[in-house]
Amino acid sequence: MEFIDLRSDTVTHPTPAMREAMAKAQVGDDVYGEDPTVNRLQEMAATMMGQEAGLFVASGTMGNLVAILAHCGRGDEAILGDQAHTFLYEAGGISALGGVHSCQLPNQPDGSLAIDDIEAAIRPDDAHHPVTRLIALENTHNRCGGTYQTVEYKRAVSDFAHENSLVVHLDGARIFNAAVAQGIAAKELAAPVDSVTFCLSKGLCAPVGSLLCGSKEFIAKAHRIRKQLGGGMRQAGILAAAGIVALETMIERLAEDHARAKKLAEGLKQVKGLVVDAGSPATNMVFPSLAEDVSLSAEQVEEKMNAFGVRVRAISQRRFRLVTHYWIDDAGVERTVAVFRHVLH
Ligand code: TLP
């Protein structure tokens, strides 16, 4: 990569092995269900999530949208975290396209929603209220700092939801980061919920695509909604081939990204003018802030860093997000620390 690009793990290019698999992929018309490579990827995904079936979709945003539209009707209410990606960064798709009303609860520091808060938010059976239908979780949690929630929490929310006739959708865009950080299989986190989206095009480096997994009945419904949204792709096996390489070879190595995020956080703590949250980053995201005495804004610092070939993202006036991934090596971490030091000296 030309730059040291820490803005996101979405910037990752496909690996040479992915490009080779894409060139050789067997394909068919996936709208007819005839693309063998897409079918294989969907089966692999379902197995890895402990669910019955999978559906290849264009993006994480599309996976979450299709899932919520499949679970909820117009006027139904979905409970989301106030820091949830689906609430903040998916262009309001669930309400714009599905008429789904949202209820936001405060995310806890680890990205979870407190079960007491969920209980209090469930609407009474009264004509004045929308019908509460769904709880959406996110793991790892992006805005909460790349934090993760445990299997026990996933089970507790799902049990609670099912006792109350609700369903749980998990935005597991980075579920493999959550699993690797805890030394467990992703299916342990995903099997208790009713549906889960995960992304191939973040830390796993595939160029495009996400998978939505759930029961066979749910995926049949989701398949029709994907078509309604214009997401029926044809010879998508070219893309799925890279996804298969991602699932076969790129999961365990996420631990390297987590180790580099720790190294990066340690380095940034030593830079005068930066404040890094106490404790280690949970996965592959580091969120440094500018110290009070720094007169530059985060955006100005971002611009100056750019001129030295280091890309970081200013997420507010004083705060940055840096995400480690496959294309960031130890030298890149050291250079990033050095450039921050130079820009803030
Ligand atoms: N997140 C992107 C930006 O949109 C903020 C990023 O750079 O982190 N769920 C979560 C938790 C995500 O972080 C993202 C992407 C998505 C869903 C959406 O995935 P895509 O970009 O494939 O639609």
Side-chain angles (χ1 to χ4, degrees):
M1 279 184 145
E2 212 180 320
F3 286 86
I4 295 171
D5 196 343
L6 290 149
R7 290 172 301 165
S8 182
D9 46 12
T10 60
V11 303
T12 46
H13 291 189
T15 63
M18 287 177 189
R19 289 180 188 265
E20 201 183 321
M22 292 172 81
K24 291 184 181 155
Q26 280 194 327
V27 296
D29 191 328
D30 181 50
V31 171
Y32 298 148
E34 289 173 2
D35 189 304
T37 312
V38 171
N39 290 341
R40 179 156 170 244
L41 174 66
Q42 291 177 162
E43 280 161 27
M44 280 175 79
T47 304
M48 292 173 91
M49 293 297 122
Q51 297 282 351
E52 285 176 3
L55 185 69
F56 189 40
V57 291
S59 65
T61 300
M62 184 181 263
N64 291 333
L65 177 62
V66 169
I68 295 176
L69 266 52
H71 286 303
C72 302
R74 298 187 73 79
D76 284 348
E77 189 166 69
I79 294 176
L80 305 173
D82 59 1
Q83 300 300 309
H85 193 277
T86 300
F87 175 57
L88 294 174
Y89 302 123
E90 295 177 13
I94 60 168
S95 43
L97 302 170
V100 178
H101 191 60
S102 75
C103 163
Q104 299 90 48
L105 299 180
N107 280 111
Q108 303 301 309
D110 67 352
S112 64
L113 301 176
I115 294 186
D116 287 349
D117 289 348
I118 299 174
E119 188 167 18
I122 297 175
R123 304 284 192 152
D125 182 11
D126 174 323
H128 291 84
H129 296 284
V131 175
T132 309
R133 191 73 70 190
L134 172 139
I135 303 164
L137 301 175
E138 186 177 317
N139 200 11
T140 63
H141 202 289
N142 187 342
R143 282 288 294 194
C144 290
T147 46
Y148 55 78
Q149 303 122 46
T150 62
V151 176
E152 292 68 36
Y153 174 73
K154 286 278 136 47
R155 286 210 196 104
V157 175
S158 295
D159 289 349
F160 173 82
H162 298 151
E163 281 156 21
N164 289 280
S165 309
L166 304 178
V167 294
V168 180
H169 172 67
L170 170 60
D171 175 356
R174 297 183 180 83
I175 194 168
F176 294 111
N177 293 86
V180 166
Q182 298 179 77
I184 57 174
K187 72 163 80 163
E188 293 195 52
L189 295 165
V193 300
D194 299 280
S195 59
V196 54
T197 304
F198 72 84
C199 295
L200 300 167
S201 182
K202 299 198 165 54
L204 302 186
C205 288
V208 179
S210 297
L211 275 300
L212 173 62
C213 300
S215 68
K216 280 190 184 146
E217 198 188 343
F218 168 80
I219 291 297
K221 206 168 170 193
H223 188 259
R224 184 182 298 263
I225 294 171
R226 184 186 71 172
K227 187 73 181 137
Q228 287 176 330
L229 296 172
M233 296 183 281
R234 301 290 178 175
Q235 286 71 32
I238 298 276
L239 302 173
I244 291 171
V245 176
L247 294 184
E248 284 177 343
T249 66
M250 301 298 283
I251 294 172
E252 291 310 319
R253 66 147 308 282
L254 292 171
E256 293 174 29
D257 300 340
H258 300 174
R260 287 205 179 90
K262 286 192 174 69
K263 218 172 142 184
L264 179 61
E266 285 313 311
L268 296 177
K269 279 178 194 163
Q270 311 303 321
V271 175
K272 200 171 162 294
L274 282 184
V275 180
V276 183
D277 297 343
S280 286
T283 55
N284 66 333
M285 295 184 182
V286 183
F287 289 75
S289 302
L290 292 172
E292 274 178 20
D293 58 352
V294 175
S295 56
L296 295 169
S297 70
E299 227 170 79
Q300 288 168 323
V301 173
E302 177 187 302
E303 223 168 90
K304 284 177 185 282
M305 304 272 301
N306 233 337
F308 289 97
V310 178
R311 290 187 168 170
V312 299
R313 184 174 292 295
I315 56 164
S316 71
Q317 277 285 322
R318 310 292 294 171
R319 199 163 161 83
F320 306 90
R321 185 186 74 161
L322 279 65
V323 187
T324 54
H325 53 74
Y326 180 80
W327 297 99
I328 302 293
D329 58 12
D330 289 334
V333 168
E334 279 160 31
R335 171 108 184 116
T336 302
V337 174
V339 171
F340 259 118
R341 188 173 286 125
H342 179 74
V343 166
L344 293 171
H345 76 276

